[in-house]
Amino acid sequence: IMIRAIRVFGPGIILNMELDFPGGTIRVRGKVLWAREGTVQLLATGRIGMGVKLLDPPEEFLKALEAAS
């Protein structure tokens, strides 16, 4: 997934995240694959942030994604 952010964590860092869905909050873990810092003006462009690979996403996360799409 791509996370838009001004301040980022470097590649290789493992993140513990809480993602909010209409049915509630789901905890997932992910590894930062790439990171680009930038100014707040670039935030809306999607050119800055982090690419994060989810590590063993829980079944409830996959179901929530399906329901949201």
Side-chain angles (χ1 to χ4, degrees):
I1 61 174
M2 196 277 192
I3 299 174
R4 292 182 184 181
I6 298 168
R7 294 187 185 148
V8 297
F9 293 96
I13 298 294
I14 302 297
L15 302 175
N16 293 307
M17 302 173 283
E18 292 184 352
L19 304 177
D20 292 326
F21 285 89
T25 301
I26 300 172
R27 293 181 181 186
V28 296
R29 289 172 35 94
K31 181 178 182 178
V32 178
L33 298 181
W34 59 265
R36 284 183 291 227
E37 290 184 340
T39 64
V40 71
Q41 290 82 7
L42 293 175
L43 194 57
T45 68
R47 296 176 58 198
I48 61 172
M50 299 174 284
V52 178
K53 178 181 180 181
L54 298 181
L55 304 173
D56 298 319
E59 187 66 30
E60 65 180 319
F61 170 74
L62 300 175
K63 288 179 181 176
L65 262 186
E66 222 174 85
S69 59

